[in-house]
Amino acid sequence: MELKYDLESITSHTVANTTGIGRGNAGAISLRNFTIAIDSTIYAKTAQIFRYNLEKHFNLPIKFLIFTHYHADHIFGIGPFTDVVTISSEQMIRNMKSKSIKDQYEIRVKEFQKEDPLAEGVEFKLPNIGFNEKLIIYDEDLHIEVLHTGGHTSGTSIVYFPYEKVVFAGDLIFANYFPYAGDPTCNPNKYIEALEIMKSLNAEIIIPGHGVVLKGKNALDIYIEFFKNFRKSIKNAIKENVSPEKVEIPHTFDTFRDELKTRSIEHWYKFFQNE
Ligand SMILES: [Zn+2]
């Protein structure tokens, strides 16, 4: 079967693929003279088709690739972008250099290539440029803002394109799903703050790290409310000595993957126990 990685036109300057074919969503923003890609999918093979289709779609060179966070399904496809300047928060680079993550991911790259026939060429490779807090890229009258918010991971960033009011949310949003919030570097309070920062941008279109595109100024409200209720349930459970397995969490969303949900609950429980 021929592998496809079609790009959905979201606005006249933005595209994305939210089908899950490359696991994590990927997308791009075209400015006047060049395109900026966001996340690389988990496979070099999908990344290669992503790049080809992106150049064809906008008919502009790709100058930058921004990573929203260090998780495999957003960075392993870096290979076909070797000649492009890759960017992330400085904290994401620190995440990737930390011994525990580096050791784990170097093994993961090898095992993934053995397990999955599509995984040939995947890499765990550091970005070229790290920024603190905020990075702005200009091209004539247009610009994008990359904001380091933390939350899903301590190095998580979002990408905002004010001209068309579009935000690339990375994994701060799993559209219509209980998200993965169990990364060792995930700070639950920062997670909620990050969503509030995103909301304050007044974007009309949110492109998530997993799942479909969200539309409308109030699209984030349900997520903010969910996370606040989730935090409340966890804090109550700790106060009442209810174990993590028995915490009643809000039923707002379907489960993305059971294992990720369990890890998220355990992580938030431990976090607030030690707070
Ligand atoms: Zn992630």
Side-chain angles (χ1 to χ4, degrees), residues 68-74 152-153 156 170-172 174 180 183 210:
T68 57
H69 64 297
Y70 79 87
H71 286 158
D73 51 338
H74 298 262
H152 174 70
T153 65
T156 288
D171 280 3
L172 286 165
F174 280 60
Y180 176 50
D183 184 89
H210 295 270

Side-chain angles (χ1 to χ4, degrees), residues 157-176:
S157 299
I158 59 174
V159 184
Y160 179 43
F161 182 46
Y163 183 65
E164 289 185 325
K165 292 191 170 296
V166 180
V167 171
F168 287 78
D171 280 3
L172 286 165
I173 297 288
F174 280 60
N176 304 319

Side-chain angles (χ1 to χ4, degrees), residues 94-150:
R94 282 196 287 269
N95 291 150
M96 290 178 76
K97 283 172 137 177
S98 74
K99 190 168 161 32
S100 59
I101 292 169
K102 191 169 176 276
D103 290 354
Q104 186 198 346
Y105 269 60
E106 277 169 359
I107 294 167
R108 212 155 150 209
V109 161
K110 287 193 193 117
E111 301 207 318
F112 191 40
Q113 299 205 43
K114 275 186 234 155
E115 281 160 21
D116 190 329
L118 273 183
E120 193 191 325
V122 298
E123 282 176 84
F124 181 69
K125 199 167 155 187
L126 295 178
N128 304 120
I129 294 178
F131 69 94
N132 286 304
E133 289 179 48
K134 184 174 179 174
L135 173 80
I136 305 183
I137 299 176
Y138 298 93
D139 183 17
E140 296 181 14
D141 59 321
L142 300 181
H143 76 277
I144 66 151
E145 298 173 15
V146 195
L147 309 174
H148 172 213
T149 60

Side-chain angles (χ1 to χ4, degrees), residues 22-232:
R23 305 272 188 93
N25 291 343
I29 302 167
S30 78
L31 300 182
R32 298 293 179 207
N33 302 287
F34 57 86
T35 299
I36 299 159
I38 299 153
D39 287 342
S40 70
T41 77
I42 199 166
Y43 302 114
K45 287 186 200 297
T46 42
Q48 195 172 16
I49 309 169
F50 171 40
R51 179 172 186 168
Y52 177 84
N53 288 343
L54 199 49
E55 283 165 340
K56 207 167 66 177
H57 185 93
F58 290 122
N59 197 24
L60 288 171
I62 299 162
K63 213 165 185 172
F64 303 104
L65 167 63
I66 296 168
F67 293 112
T68 57
H69 64 297
Y70 79 87
H71 286 158
D73 51 338
H74 298 262
I75 67 160
F76 271 10
I78 191 172
F81 292 94
T82 304
D83 59 315
V84 169
V85 177
T86 51
I87 300 173
S88 77
S89 70
E90 189 63 37
Q91 183 56 45
M92 173 175 141
I93 296 174
R94 282 196 287 269
N95 291 150
M96 290 178 76
K97 283 172 137 177
S98 74
K99 190 168 161 32
S100 59
I101 292 169
K102 191 169 176 276
D103 290 354
Q104 186 198 346
Y105 269 60
E106 277 169 359
I107 294 167
R108 212 155 150 209
V109 161
K110 287 193 193 117
E111 301 207 318
F112 191 40
Q113 299 205 43
K114 275 186 234 155
E115 281 160 21
D116 190 329
L118 273 183
E120 193 191 325
V122 298
E123 282 176 84
F124 181 69
K125 199 167 155 187
L126 295 178
N128 304 120
I129 294 178
F131 69 94
N132 286 304
E133 289 179 48
K134 184 174 179 174
L135 173 80
I136 305 183
I137 299 176
Y138 298 93
D139 183 17
E140 296 181 14
D141 59 321
L142 300 181
H143 76 277
I144 66 151
E145 298 173 15
V146 195
L147 309 174
H148 172 213
T149 60
H152 174 70
T153 65
S154 60
T156 288
S157 299
I158 59 174
V159 184
Y160 179 43
F161 182 46
Y163 183 65
E164 289 185 325
K165 292 191 170 296
V166 180
V167 171
F168 287 78
D171 280 3
L172 286 165
I173 297 288
F174 280 60
N176 304 319
Y177 285 109
F178 186 99
Y180 176 50
D183 184 89
T185 73
C186 164
N187 177 321
N189 293 324
K190 285 253 177 213
Y191 207 127
I192 294 168
E193 272 172 39
L195 293 174
E196 282 169 339
I197 292 168
M198 212 191 301
K199 161 107 184 148
S200 74
L201 300 172
N202 276 319
E204 270 151 23
I205 295 172
I206 313 280
I207 299 168
H210 295 270
V212 296
V213 175
L214 306 176
K215 289 184 180 157
K217 277 206 163 63
N218 300 321
L220 289 173
D221 293 354
I222 184 176
Y223 294 88
I224 295 173
E225 195 192 301
F226 165 79
F227 277 102
K228 285 186 171 168
N229 288 334
F230 180 37
R231 179 170 63 185
K232 215 186 282 171

Side-chain angles (χ1 to χ4, degrees), residues 231-243:
R231 179 170 63 185
K232 215 186 282 171
S233 319
I234 298 281
K235 283 185 167 183
N236 281 340
I238 295 167
K239 217 186 318 172
E240 286 159 21
N241 268 321
V242 175
S243 65

